[in-house]
Amino acid sequence: MNPPILERDPSDPQKEKKEGVNPLLKLVLELGPLMVFFFANARGEWLVGKFPVLAELGGPIFVATGLFMAATAIALIASWLLMRTLPIMPMVSGVVVLIFGALTLYLQDDIFIKMKPTIVNTLFGGVLLGGLYFGRSLLGYVFDSAFSLDAEGWRKLTFRWGLFFLFLALANEAVWRNFSTNAWVTFKVWGIMPITLLFTFSQMPLILRHSLDEKAGKEEKAGK
């Protein structure tokens, strides 16, 4: 059996609700918690001076972790209220943030929050490559995809993203184990994001080659 071709029903109310959300607001909801994490780690002592209650959390990385957890929870709730659905990736990542963040604060050990990207990326990479092993291209479900590809396109794109997720996991391990906490936070916020964007844009030729919408458009023009 071929992998399913994920194509949204244009009358789907969930899709209409998602498309009605301001793109800038969606970007804020996705990147906001990371910005909070970066700022809180960089200005942890200043924040404790302004809000002494934060001193109960510990040093800057623990203050950042606590605020990161709060911002993540707020972003997930806001996404649900706006779209009445939660994409798989933000939901899974959010759950791991809350679990590993809680362990970080409770045990006062930042190794847990540092391992969070490794766990999440390994999980997604393993799921995608494992799905291919069993003949399933699961990338569309992971990304809550709004476009449709043929079966070969889904297989190739799923394989590439599976490897990329594993690369991100290895990169995170290399950075947090060999560099300072501040360097790791900087890499997490300002390194992973551009790397991911570059990889995403590099896949556009593949997506265009295997896009069913693109093929349908060419066939329609040829028929005229």
Side-chain angles (χ1 to χ4, degrees), residues 104-193:
T104 296
L105 296 179
Y106 180 73
L107 299 174
Q108 287 291 288
D109 190 343
D110 61 10
I111 188 174
F112 295 102
I113 198 64
K114 289 179 177 178
M115 287 184 63
K116 174 261 172 183
T118 301
I119 300 298
V120 171
N121 288 313
T122 300
L123 175 62
F124 283 119
V127 167
L128 292 180
L129 296 178
L132 285 179
Y133 180 80
F134 291 103
R136 303 282 293 181
S137 299
L138 302 175
L139 186 67
Y141 295 107
V142 171
F143 280 119
D144 195 33
S145 179
F147 53 82
S148 55
L149 304 178
D150 60 28
E152 183 183 1
W154 279 122
R155 282 193 295 270
K156 289 180 177 179
L157 199 60
T158 298
F159 180 71
R160 293 181 183 185
W161 271 100
L163 292 181
F164 181 68
F165 278 124
L166 296 183
F167 163 76
L168 291 180
L170 290 174
N172 183 68
E173 284 294 295
V175 173
W176 83 259
R177 290 180 183 274
N178 294 286
F179 297 91
S180 68
T181 294
N182 288 339
W184 170 77
V185 172
T186 300
F187 173 75
K188 175 179 170 59
V189 177
W190 304 111
I192 294 296
M193 195 186 311

Side-chain angles (χ1 to χ4, degrees), residues 2-222:
N2 288 330
I5 296 173
L6 300 179
E7 188 168 10
R8 298 292 183 186
D9 181 352
S11 63
D12 183 357
Q14 295 292 357
K15 180 183 178 184
E16 292 177 0
K17 198 166 186 67
K18 289 180 189 178
E19 292 179 344
V21 177
N22 188 298
L24 182 59
L25 178 57
K26 290 179 67 175
L27 185 65
V28 169
L29 291 175
E30 291 175 5
L31 301 182
L34 277 178
M35 297 297 104
V36 169
F37 185 61
F38 178 79
F39 175 79
N41 181 73
R43 302 297 301 275
E45 294 181 1
W46 178 82
L47 285 171
V48 168
K50 293 291 184 179
F51 307 97
V53 67
L54 293 177
E56 298 294 328
L57 297 176
I61 187 62
F62 300 108
V63 171
T65 298
L67 295 180
F68 185 35
M69 293 168 64
T72 298
I74 291 171
L76 289 175
I77 292 170
S79 295
W80 171 257
L81 292 175
L82 289 169
M83 297 179 286
R84 291 299 174 185
T85 185
L86 288 176
I88 292 177
M89 280 195 69
M91 181 175 64
V92 172
S93 181
V95 169
V96 176
V97 165
L98 295 177
I99 293 174
F100 278 69
L103 288 171
T104 296
L105 296 179
Y106 180 73
L107 299 174
Q108 287 291 288
D109 190 343
D110 61 10
I111 188 174
F112 295 102
I113 198 64
K114 289 179 177 178
M115 287 184 63
K116 174 261 172 183
T118 301
I119 300 298
V120 171
N121 288 313
T122 300
L123 175 62
F124 283 119
V127 167
L128 292 180
L129 296 178
L132 285 179
Y133 180 80
F134 291 103
R136 303 282 293 181
S137 299
L138 302 175
L139 186 67
Y141 295 107
V142 171
F143 280 119
D144 195 33
S145 179
F147 53 82
S148 55
L149 304 178
D150 60 28
E152 183 183 1
W154 279 122
R155 282 193 295 270
K156 289 180 177 179
L157 199 60
T158 298
F159 180 71
R160 293 181 183 185
W161 271 100
L163 292 181
F164 181 68
F165 278 124
L166 296 183
F167 163 76
L168 291 180
L170 290 174
N172 183 68
E173 284 294 295
V175 173
W176 83 259
R177 290 180 183 274
N178 294 286
F179 297 91
S180 68
T181 294
N182 288 339
W184 170 77
V185 172
T186 300
F187 173 75
K188 175 179 170 59
V189 177
W190 304 111
I192 294 296
M193 195 186 311
I195 290 173
T196 302
L197 287 175
L198 286 173
F199 177 79
T200 301
F201 287 132
S202 73
Q203 303 311 302
M204 289 309 298
L206 172 66
I207 292 173
L208 292 175
R209 282 199 305 272
H210 294 278
S211 171
L212 294 180
D213 295 332
E214 187 77 10
K215 291 179 180 179
K218 289 180 180 179
E219 291 174 359
E220 184 178 343
K221 288 182 180 179

